[in-house]
Amino acid sequence: MNTLAKIAIAAGAGLVAGGVLGILFAPDKGENTRKKIADSGKKLTDTVKEKMGTLKVNIKGKTEAVKEGMEEFA
């Protein structure tokens, strides 16, 4: 995994952690707070899945380019 991907994952995790802490300390009913946390978790999961899919496509494309380059030298 390259440095940019690690930074993006860390930034996303930090944003979610900050959001969850903000929700926990905000004055609201427990039921509403739990719903907000669940929604935040779902959004994080969706975001991570999307980013990993994009990363997978990028890696696959680069792998194919390297294979093609190696075939030219063979």
Side-chain angles (χ1 to χ4, degrees):
M1 187 180 305
N2 64 22
T3 305
L4 185 59
K6 290 179 185 178
I7 291 171
I9 290 171
L15 287 171
V16 170
V20 169
L21 287 174
I23 291 169
L24 286 174
F25 288 106
D28 204 353
K29 289 183 176 181
E31 182 180 339
N32 293 338
T33 300
R34 287 188 296 275
K35 183 175 181 344
K36 289 178 184 178
I37 290 172
D39 291 343
S40 294
K42 184 174 181 341
K43 286 179 185 177
L44 173 64
T45 302
D46 293 343
T47 300
V48 169
K49 284 180 182 178
E50 180 183 326
K51 297 294 181 185
M52 293 304 289
T54 302
L55 181 62
K56 182 179 175 182
V57 169
N58 288 339
I59 290 172
K60 187 174 181 179
K62 290 180 182 183
T63 303
E64 293 296 323
V66 169
K67 284 182 183 178
E68 290 175 6
M70 295 300 288
E71 289 175 358
E72 290 177 10
F73 289 114

